[in-house]
Amino acid sequence: MLTLEIAIQKNRQLPPEQWQKVLEFIEFLEYQSSQQQKAPKTIEPPEVSFAEAAKEFMGCLDSNLEDLSHNPQLSALETGLKET
């Protein structure tokens, strides 16, 4: 049995006083459906990797300083510390 046939059969079993409520519910569903169609669809932003999202900040902490592990001044300090 189709859904429509079941709905009609159940509607006929109701007392006539409740037919108006069934009609109002159907009209509510129509209204709700029309509002959903009118609502603007939200566009989800595409997924972006962390590197892509942070690319404008990459290198912002770069400087002309050499790597401390190869800094001759640091090596001298370490040597001085070891001697004492």
Side-chain angles (χ1 to χ4, degrees):
M1 197 175 264
L2 295 174
T3 306
L4 179 60
E5 292 170 345
I6 294 170
I8 291 170
Q9 181 184 13
K10 288 187 178 281
N11 191 45
R12 287 183 180 151
Q13 293 173 356
L14 291 174
E17 302 84 41
Q18 291 191 340
W19 291 350
Q20 183 62 33
K21 289 181 181 180
V22 172
L23 181 59
E24 288 173 2
F25 181 69
I26 291 171
E27 289 172 346
F28 167 74
L29 292 176
E30 288 176 335
Y31 171 78
Q32 191 177 38
S33 176
S34 70
Q35 292 301 314
Q36 288 176 350
Q37 291 173 356
K38 290 180 185 177
K41 306 260 180 185
T42 56
I43 299 173
E44 294 186 25
E47 289 188 24
V48 179
S49 69
F50 176 77
E52 184 70 24
K55 71 180 177 184
E56 67 180 288
F57 301 108
M58 287 184 183
C60 68
L61 298 178
D62 286 349
S63 67
N64 292 333
L65 297 176
E66 295 179 22
D67 183 7
L68 293 177
S69 64
H70 297 97
N71 189 332
Q73 292 174 344
L74 180 62
S75 296
L77 286 174
E78 286 178 350
T79 306
L81 292 173
K82 289 179 186 175
E83 291 174 5
T84 57

